[in-house]
């Protein structure tokens, strides 16, 4: 395969297109790879380990830094009945779960391969009863607000 420098350049180019591109491009490229390391069979079978292009299944909203130096992805699991049911099931077993999550930008052309892991995390026996959220995520609009007319109304 190609050398390390070549792979890094390909990844950087795809990442720049992801950060600077339109949501339609991002929705086709943001891929999540779940893996239940520990947990009840019912959760392991519901979640699976199949990579998913989330933007093709769920509503997503993107927040990009002013200098394109970062991007945040807000995934609305409630925008899909199936994803919402799987999430509710998983939340009920959260303290019993160890979950690995990988994020990859989908490579579709030769110059975008091999795919490189963008980020990974592991959640271990999370106690959602003590979790604190800085904002109420249920009130964030998934559609961008209309441009302001300049002053308060």
């Amino acid at each position: 395969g190609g050398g390390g420098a070549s792979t890094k350049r390909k990844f950087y180019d795809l990442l720049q297109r992801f950060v600077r591109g339109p949501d339609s491009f991002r929705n086709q490229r943001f891929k999540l790879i779940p893996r239940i390391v520990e947990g009840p069979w019912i959760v392991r079978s519901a979640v699976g380990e199949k990579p998913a292009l989330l933007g093709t299944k769920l509503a997503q909203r993107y927040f990009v830094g002013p200098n394109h130096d970062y991007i945040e992805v807000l995934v609305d699991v409630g925008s899909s009945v199936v994803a919402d049911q799987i999430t509710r099931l998983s939340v009920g077993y959260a303290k019993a779960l160890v979950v690995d999550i990988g994020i990859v930008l989908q490579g579709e052309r030769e110059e975008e391969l091999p795919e490189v892991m963008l980020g990974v995390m592991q959640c271990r026996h999370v106690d959602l009863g003590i979790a604190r959220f800085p904002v109420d995520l249920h009130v964030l609009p998934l559609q961008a607000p209309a441009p302001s007319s300049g002053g308060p109304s």
Side-chain angles (χ1 to χ4, degrees):
S6 173
T7 297
K8 287 179 185 177
R9 168 53 52 196
K10 290 176 180 183
F11 173 74
Y12 179 79
D13 290 346
L14 178 57
L15 179 61
Q16 287 303 305
R17 289 192 2 247
F18 180 78
V19 170
R20 296 174 182 271
D23 289 357
S24 57
F25 178 81
R26 295 174 180 148
N27 288 341
Q28 296 295 319
R29 299 306 184 103
F30 186 77
K31 182 165 52 175
L32 180 135
I33 306 170
R35 181 170 168 257
I36 306 297
V37 179
E38 290 178 21
W41 172 87
I42 191 168
V43 177
R44 288 194 319 269
S45 62
V47 172
E49 293 186 9
K50 184 177 176 187
L53 292 171
L54 294 186
T56 65
K57 301 174 184 331
L58 304 170
Q60 296 185 151
R61 185 162 176 207
Y62 302 90
F63 302 90
V64 179
N67 298 317
H68 296 95
D69 51 353
Y70 71 87
I71 187 167
E72 295 179 33
V73 182
L74 175 65
V75 179
D76 180 5
V77 295
S79 63
S80 158
V81 173
V82 172
D84 188 57
Q85 289 173 342
I86 292 170
T87 301
R88 289 176 189 275
L89 173 69
S90 299
V91 164
Y93 288 100
K95 287 184 187 179
L97 296 175
V98 175
V99 182
D100 288 344
I101 298 173
I103 303 293
V104 174
L105 296 181
Q106 171 81 8
E108 295 184 355
R109 303 190 313 251
E110 181 63 33
E111 61 270 17
E112 299 169 344
L113 299 172
E115 292 180 343
V116 175
M117 196 68 72
L118 180 61
V120 296
M121 68 178 197
Q122 184 177 76
C123 301
R124 300 180 60 80
H125 310 289
V126 176
D127 184 350
L128 295 172
I130 62 171
R132 300 290 179 252
F133 298 95
V135 296
D136 183 356
L137 298 178
H138 295 97
V139 300
L140 288 176
L142 278 176
Q143 299 300 320
S148 171
S149 60
S153 30

